[in-house]
Amino acid sequence: MGLLRKIRDTGRVAEAAPPRPEGDMPEAARELGGSVQVRCVDAGSCNGCEIEIAAAFNPVYDAERYGARLVASPRHADVALVTGPVTRNMAAPLRRTVDAMPEPRLVVAVGDCAINCGEFAGGYGVEGAVSDVVPVDLRVPGCPPEPEAVVAALRRVTGR
């Protein structure tokens, strides 16, 4: 019974949530009700942003506590996190993925490569930035962006 008593006496221990992120909530996010399903799309990145996105959903940063959850199908997704410059081979699949998402939907360009092609600008296999292929609602700069920045962008979308 010593362990149960210790648990009862200690209570729940958790860190306080960080302050709400600055910036306005995107217009389409107002209809989502504080919870979003997220689909990640690698449009041709070096995989650095994907590692940071995975870290944003791990127990340390825990994006799920702010109402963001990863899903495998674009048909279930409200938000698309797109990384990397869009390669010629990924332009059509990216358009189809975004078109398969139900309305209202948001597209978040994660990383410098997704925003302006970064190191890959002018490459022979690069179609362009994400905004050249699909409309982008939110941008997360960095190469790669910190998990805190990814979580802050998702918090702007959920409003939590």
Side-chain angles (χ1 to χ4, degrees):
M1 287 308 261
L3 181 60
L4 292 176
R5 184 175 296 119
K6 185 172 184 177
I7 291 170
R8 186 190 69 211
D9 293 342
T10 303
R12 187 169 188 190
V13 179
E15 294 179 10
R20 290 187 182 268
E22 296 177 10
D24 292 333
M25 180 185 283
E27 206 46 51
R30 297 185 197 287
E31 300 176 38
L32 297 175
S35 179
V36 294
Q37 312 303 313
V38 179
R39 170 76 170 123
C40 296
V41 180
D42 179 354
S45 77
C46 67
N47 226 28
C49 294
E50 282 78 11
I51 293 169
E52 300 302 318
I53 289 170
F57 283 90
N58 75 16
V60 174
Y61 299 100
D62 197 14
E64 284 196 28
R65 72 177 158 162
Y66 301 114
R69 190 172 69 100
L70 291 174
V71 293
S73 172
R75 300 202 185 278
H76 301 150
D78 304 311
V79 176
L81 292 181
V82 185
T83 61
V86 182
T87 62
R88 296 192 192 285
N89 291 337
M90 280 301 293
L94 177 61
R95 283 189 199 98
R96 283 196 310 266
T97 299
V98 172
D99 288 342
M101 295 169 57
E103 292 284 344
R105 61 179 168 235
L106 290 120
V107 176
V108 179
V110 179
D112 291 343
C113 295
I115 295 170
N116 60 15
C117 296
E119 297 292 321
F120 302 104
Y124 68 92
V126 175
E127 182 82 15
V130 175
S131 60
D132 297 336
V133 179
V134 294
V136 172
D137 300 294
L138 203 56
R139 290 166 175 78
V140 182
C143 184
E146 298 287 326
E148 294 97 344
V150 175
V151 172
L154 291 171
R155 288 184 69 196
R156 280 185 58 194
V157 170
T158 61
R160 292 186 179 184

mmCIF file of all heavy atoms in Angstrom, residues 75-105:
data_model
loop_
_atom_site.group_PDB
_atom_site.id
_atom_site.type_symbol
_atom_site.label_atom_id
_atom_site.label_comp_id
_atom_site.label_asym_id
_atom_site.label_seq_id
_atom_site.Cartn_x
_atom_site.Cartn_y
_atom_site.Cartn_z
ATOM 1 N N ARG A 75 -7.918 11.510 -46.875
ATOM 2 C CA ARG A 75 -9.377 11.617 -46.774
ATOM 3 C C ARG A 75 -9.834 11.868 -45.342
ATOM 4 O O ARG A 75 -10.942 12.316 -45.120
ATOM 5 C CB ARG A 75 -10.039 10.365 -47.332
ATOM 6 C CG ARG A 75 -9.690 10.165 -48.786
ATOM 7 C CD ARG A 75 -10.683 9.306 -49.492
ATOM 8 N NE ARG A 75 -10.271 9.024 -50.854
ATOM 9 C CZ ARG A 75 -10.447 9.831 -51.874
ATOM 10 N NH1 ARG A 75 -11.000 11.000 -51.699
ATOM 11 N NH2 ARG A 75 -10.059 9.490 -53.085
ATOM 12 N N HIS A 76 -8.973 11.572 -44.373
ATOM 13 C CA HIS A 76 -9.293 11.812 -42.969
ATOM 14 C C HIS A 76 -8.637 13.081 -42.447
ATOM 15 O O HIS A 76 -8.828 13.435 -41.288
ATOM 16 C CB HIS A 76 -8.840 10.637 -42.106
ATOM 17 C CG HIS A 76 -9.468 9.348 -42.490
ATOM 18 N ND1 HIS A 76 -8.831 8.145 -42.326
ATOM 19 C CD2 HIS A 76 -10.660 9.051 -43.044
ATOM 20 C CE1 HIS A 76 -9.604 7.176 -42.754
ATOM 21 N NE2 HIS A 76 -10.725 7.706 -43.199
ATOM 22 N N ALA A 77 -7.830 13.753 -43.255
ATOM 23 C CA ALA A 77 -6.984 14.852 -42.790
ATOM 24 C C ALA A 77 -7.648 16.215 -42.965
ATOM 25 O O ALA A 77 -8.380 16.448 -43.926
ATOM 26 C CB ALA A 77 -5.655 14.839 -43.525
ATOM 27 N N ASP A 78 -7.358 17.088 -42.009
ATOM 28 C CA ASP A 78 -7.772 18.491 -42.085
ATOM 29 C C ASP A 78 -6.594 19.374 -42.477
ATOM 30 O O ASP A 78 -6.771 20.444 -43.044
ATOM 31 C CB ASP A 78 -8.285 18.981 -40.727
ATOM 32 C CG ASP A 78 -9.417 18.128 -40.204
ATOM 33 O OD1 ASP A 78 -10.365 17.877 -40.965
ATOM 34 O OD2 ASP A 78 -9.339 17.708 -39.038
ATOM 35 N N VAL A 79 -5.381 18.933 -42.117
ATOM 36 C CA VAL A 79 -4.160 19.709 -42.330
ATOM 37 C C VAL A 79 -3.142 18.836 -43.041
ATOM 38 O O VAL A 79 -2.953 17.677 -42.671
ATOM 39 C CB VAL A 79 -3.574 20.193 -40.986
ATOM 40 C CG1 VAL A 79 -2.252 20.904 -41.196
ATOM 41 C CG2 VAL A 79 -4.549 21.093 -40.261
ATOM 42 N N ALA A 80 -2.474 19.410 -44.033
ATOM 43 C CA ALA A 80 -1.362 18.727 -44.696
ATOM 44 C C ALA A 80 -0.078 19.447 -44.325
ATOM 45 O O ALA A 80 0.054 20.647 -44.574
ATOM 46 C CB ALA A 80 -1.539 18.721 -46.205
ATOM 47 N N LEU A 81 0.848 18.731 -43.689
ATOM 48 C CA LEU A 81 2.185 19.268 -43.418
ATOM 49 C C LEU A 81 3.066 18.830 -44.576
ATOM 50 O O LEU A 81 3.372 17.645 -44.715
ATOM 51 C CB LEU A 81 2.751 18.710 -42.108
ATOM 52 C CG LEU A 81 2.097 19.110 -40.802
ATOM 53 C CD1 LEU A 81 2.831 18.466 -39.631
ATOM 54 C CD2 LEU A 81 2.084 20.603 -40.637
ATOM 55 N N VAL A 82 3.465 19.766 -45.426
ATOM 56 C CA VAL A 82 4.232 19.438 -46.625
ATOM 57 C C VAL A 82 5.671 19.880 -46.419
ATOM 58 O O VAL A 82 5.933 21.013 -46.026
ATOM 59 C CB VAL A 82 3.639 20.111 -47.876
ATOM 60 C CG1 VAL A 82 4.376 19.662 -49.123
ATOM 61 C CG2 VAL A 82 2.161 19.804 -47.992
ATOM 62 N N THR A 83 6.605 18.956 -46.677
ATOM 63 C CA THR A 83 8.027 19.245 -46.494
ATOM 64 C C THR A 83 8.756 19.111 -47.820
ATOM 65 O O THR A 83 8.360 18.348 -48.692
ATOM 66 C CB THR A 83 8.655 18.270 -45.486
ATOM 67 O OG1 THR A 83 8.528 16.940 -45.978
ATOM 68 C CG2 THR A 83 7.992 18.385 -44.126
ATOM 69 N N GLY A 84 9.838 19.848 -47.940
ATOM 70 C CA GLY A 84 10.720 19.740 -49.090
ATOM 71 C C GLY A 84 10.249 20.546 -50.284
ATOM 72 O O GLY A 84 9.086 20.931 -50.377
ATOM 73 N N PRO A 85 11.176 20.774 -51.228
ATOM 74 C CA PRO A 85 10.751 21.397 -52.482
ATOM 75 C C PRO A 85 9.938 20.368 -53.254
ATOM 76 O O PRO A 85 10.173 19.171 -53.151
ATOM 77 C CB PRO A 85 12.073 21.700 -53.186
ATOM 78 C CG PRO A 85 12.997 20.647 -52.684
ATOM 79 C CD PRO A 85 12.581 20.393 -51.263
ATOM 80 N N VAL A 86 8.982 20.812 -54.007
ATOM 81 C CA VAL A 86 8.149 19.877 -54.762
ATOM 82 C C VAL A 86 8.918 19.444 -56.004
ATOM 83 O O VAL A 86 9.246 20.273 -56.853
ATOM 84 C CB VAL A 86 6.801 20.518 -55.148
ATOM 85 C CG1 VAL A 86 5.938 19.519 -55.893
ATOM 86 C CG2 VAL A 86 6.087 21.015 -53.909
ATOM 87 N N THR A 87 9.223 18.163 -56.071
ATOM 88 C CA THR A 87 9.928 17.638 -57.244
ATOM 89 C C THR A 87 8.932 17.440 -58.374
ATOM 90 O O THR A 87 7.728 17.399 -58.168
ATOM 91 C CB THR A 87 10.634 16.309 -56.917
ATOM 92 O OG1 THR A 87 9.638 15.353 -56.541
ATOM 93 C CG2 THR A 87 11.635 16.488 -55.791
ATOM 94 N N ARG A 88 9.458 17.299 -59.575
ATOM 95 C CA ARG A 88 8.583 17.118 -60.745
ATOM 96 C C ARG A 88 7.718 15.872 -60.595
ATOM 97 O O ARG A 88 6.569 15.869 -61.013
ATOM 98 C CB ARG A 88 9.419 17.041 -62.014
ATOM 99 C CG ARG A 88 10.167 18.327 -62.300
ATOM 100 C CD ARG A 88 10.755 18.339 -63.696
ATOM 101 N NE ARG A 88 11.698 19.429 -63.864
ATOM 102 C CZ ARG A 88 11.370 20.707 -64.018
ATOM 103 N NH1 ARG A 88 10.107 21.043 -64.008
ATOM 104 N NH2 ARG A 88 12.291 21.628 -64.167
ATOM 105 N N ASN A 89 8.261 14.826 -59.990
ATOM 106 C CA ASN A 89 7.506 13.588 -59.824
ATOM 107 C C ASN A 89 6.474 13.668 -58.707
ATOM 108 O O ASN A 89 5.583 12.822 -58.639
ATOM 109 C CB ASN A 89 8.444 12.416 -59.541
ATOM 110 C CG ASN A 89 9.289 12.065 -60.748
ATOM 111 O OD1 ASN A 89 8.918 12.363 -61.879
ATOM 112 N ND2 ASN A 89 10.422 11.445 -60.515
ATOM 113 N N MET A 90 6.590 14.634 -57.804
ATOM 114 C CA MET A 90 5.653 14.751 -56.680
ATOM 115 C C MET A 90 4.617 15.853 -56.850
ATOM 116 O O MET A 90 3.731 16.001 -56.013
ATOM 117 C CB MET A 90 6.416 14.989 -55.376
ATOM 118 C CG MET A 90 7.007 13.730 -54.773
ATOM 119 S SD MET A 90 5.769 12.492 -54.395
ATOM 120 C CE MET A 90 4.852 13.281 -53.094
ATOM 121 N N ALA A 91 4.694 16.631 -57.917
ATOM 122 C CA ALA A 91 3.745 17.733 -58.102
ATOM 123 C C ALA A 91 2.316 17.211 -58.252
ATOM 124 O O ALA A 91 1.406 17.671 -57.554
ATOM 125 C CB ALA A 91 4.143 18.585 -59.309
ATOM 126 N N ALA A 92 2.103 16.262 -59.127
ATOM 127 C CA ALA A 92 0.747 15.716 -59.329
ATOM 128 C C ALA A 92 0.258 14.954 -58.093
ATOM 129 O O ALA A 92 -0.890 15.152 -57.677
ATOM 130 C CB ALA A 92 0.707 14.836 -60.570
ATOM 131 N N PRO A 93 1.076 14.086 -57.465
ATOM 132 C CA PRO A 93 0.599 13.429 -56.244
ATOM 133 C C PRO A 93 0.260 14.415 -55.118
ATOM 134 O O PRO A 93 -0.690 14.188 -54.367
ATOM 135 C CB PRO A 93 1.754 12.515 -55.843
ATOM 136 C CG PRO A 93 2.471 12.231 -57.109
ATOM 137 C CD PRO A 93 2.340 13.493 -57.911
ATOM 138 N N LEU A 94 1.002 15.508 -55.007
ATOM 139 C CA LEU A 94 0.694 16.507 -53.979
ATOM 140 C C LEU A 94 -0.657 17.162 -54.271
ATOM 141 O O LEU A 94 -1.477 17.330 -53.363
ATOM 142 C CB LEU A 94 1.804 17.555 -53.893
ATOM 143 C CG LEU A 94 1.558 18.695 -52.913
ATOM 144 C CD1 LEU A 94 1.407 18.168 -51.487
ATOM 145 C CD2 LEU A 94 2.688 19.712 -52.982
ATOM 146 N N ARG A 95 -0.888 17.511 -55.530
ATOM 147 C CA ARG A 95 -2.189 18.100 -55.890
ATOM 148 C C ARG A 95 -3.324 17.125 -55.595
ATOM 149 O O ARG A 95 -4.363 17.511 -55.051
ATOM 150 C CB ARG A 95 -2.202 18.471 -57.376
ATOM 151 C CG ARG A 95 -1.449 19.726 -57.701
ATOM 152 C CD ARG A 95 -1.690 20.151 -59.152
ATOM 153 N NE ARG A 95 -0.639 21.053 -59.555
ATOM 154 C CZ ARG A 95 0.447 20.720 -60.252
ATOM 155 N NH1 ARG A 95 0.629 19.483 -60.644
ATOM 156 N NH2 ARG A 95 1.352 21.620 -60.542
ATOM 157 N N ARG A 96 -3.140 15.856 -55.943
ATOM 158 C CA ARG A 96 -4.187 14.850 -55.688
ATOM 159 C C ARG A 96 -4.409 14.655 -54.192
ATOM 160 O O ARG A 96 -5.548 14.467 -53.749
ATOM 161 C CB ARG A 96 -3.815 13.513 -56.343
ATOM 162 C CG ARG A 96 -4.039 13.511 -57.840
ATOM 163 C CD ARG A 96 -4.044 12.108 -58.416
ATOM 164 N NE ARG A 96 -2.917 11.299 -58.018
ATOM 165 C CZ ARG A 96 -1.781 11.151 -58.696
ATOM 166 N NH1 ARG A 96 -1.612 11.800 -59.826
ATOM 167 N NH2 ARG A 96 -0.822 10.377 -58.253
ATOM 168 N N THR A 97 -3.336 14.686 -53.411
ATOM 169 C CA THR A 97 -3.459 14.530 -51.964
ATOM 170 C C THR A 97 -4.269 15.674 -51.372
ATOM 171 O O THR A 97 -5.176 15.454 -50.566
ATOM 172 C CB THR A 97 -2.072 14.463 -51.302
ATOM 173 O OG1 THR A 97 -1.371 13.335 -51.814
ATOM 174 C CG2 THR A 97 -2.182 14.366 -49.797
ATOM 175 N N VAL A 98 -3.942 16.895 -51.758
ATOM 176 C CA VAL A 98 -4.670 18.058 -51.237
ATOM 177 C C VAL A 98 -6.118 18.040 -51.723
ATOM 178 O O VAL A 98 -7.038 18.356 -50.965
ATOM 179 C CB VAL A 98 -3.940 19.367 -51.606
ATOM 180 C CG1 VAL A 98 -4.778 20.580 -51.250
ATOM 181 C CG2 VAL A 98 -2.592 19.430 -50.907
ATOM 182 N N ASP A 99 -6.341 17.644 -52.964
ATOM 183 C CA ASP A 99 -7.709 17.567 -53.482
ATOM 184 C C ASP A 99 -8.525 16.498 -52.770
ATOM 185 O O ASP A 99 -9.755 16.615 -52.666
ATOM 186 C CB ASP A 99 -7.704 17.284 -54.986
ATOM 187 C CG ASP A 99 -7.242 18.489 -55.792
ATOM 188 O OD1 ASP A 99 -7.255 19.608 -55.246
ATOM 189 O OD2 ASP A 99 -6.862 18.301 -56.967
ATOM 190 N N ALA A 100 -7.874 15.441 -52.269
ATOM 191 C CA ALA A 100 -8.582 14.365 -51.566
ATOM 192 C C ALA A 100 -8.985 14.756 -50.156
ATOM 193 O O ALA A 100 -9.836 14.096 -49.557
ATOM 194 C CB ALA A 100 -7.711 13.111 -51.515
ATOM 195 N N MET A 101 -8.400 15.819 -49.625
ATOM 196 C CA MET A 101 -8.728 16.260 -48.268
ATOM 197 C C MET A 101 -10.076 16.968 -48.270
ATOM 198 O O MET A 101 -10.366 17.755 -49.170
ATOM 199 C CB MET A 101 -7.646 17.199 -47.734
ATOM 200 C CG MET A 101 -6.301 16.539 -47.548
ATOM 201 S SD MET A 101 -4.964 17.702 -47.222
ATOM 202 C CE MET A 101 -5.537 18.546 -45.786
ATOM 203 N N PRO A 102 -10.916 16.708 -47.255
ATOM 204 C CA PRO A 102 -12.216 17.385 -47.200
ATOM 205 C C PRO A 102 -12.056 18.861 -46.832
ATOM 206 O O PRO A 102 -11.060 19.265 -46.245
ATOM 207 C CB PRO A 102 -12.963 16.624 -46.100
ATOM 208 C CG PRO A 102 -11.900 16.036 -45.249
ATOM 209 C CD PRO A 102 -10.736 15.757 -46.153
ATOM 210 N N GLU A 103 -13.048 19.653 -47.202
ATOM 211 C CA GLU A 103 -13.073 21.072 -46.830
ATOM 212 C C GLU A 103 -13.580 21.194 -45.400
ATOM 213 O O GLU A 103 -14.428 20.400 -45.007
ATOM 214 C CB GLU A 103 -13.983 21.852 -47.773
ATOM 215 C CG GLU A 103 -13.472 21.947 -49.185
ATOM 216 C CD GLU A 103 -12.339 22.937 -49.351
ATOM 217 O OE1 GLU A 103 -12.149 23.771 -48.436
ATOM 218 O OE2 GLU A 103 -11.653 22.880 -50.360
ATOM 219 N N PRO A 104 -13.183 22.136 -44.599
ATOM 220 C CA PRO A 104 -12.090 23.059 -44.805
ATOM 221 C C PRO A 104 -10.756 22.352 -44.609
ATOM 222 O O PRO A 104 -10.629 21.464 -43.777
ATOM 223 C CB PRO A 104 -12.301 24.116 -43.711
ATOM 224 C CG PRO A 104 -12.963 23.376 -42.614
ATOM 225 C CD PRO A 104 -13.815 22.340 -43.287
ATOM 226 N N ARG A 105 -9.792 22.745 -45.381
ATOM 227 C CA ARG A 105 -8.472 22.124 -45.290
ATOM 228 C C ARG A 105 -7.406 23.208 -45.265
ATOM 229 O O ARG A 105 -7.617 24.308 -45.763
ATOM 230 C CB ARG A 105 -8.245 21.171 -46.449
ATOM 231 C CG ARG A 105 -8.288 21.850 -47.791
ATOM 232 C CD ARG A 105 -8.028 20.875 -48.919
ATOM 233 N NE ARG A 105 -8.336 21.478 -50.190
ATOM 234 C CZ ARG A 105 -9.173 20.967 -51.070
ATOM 235 N NH1 ARG A 105 -9.781 19.834 -50.818
ATOM 236 N NH2 ARG A 105 -9.385 21.582 -52.199
#
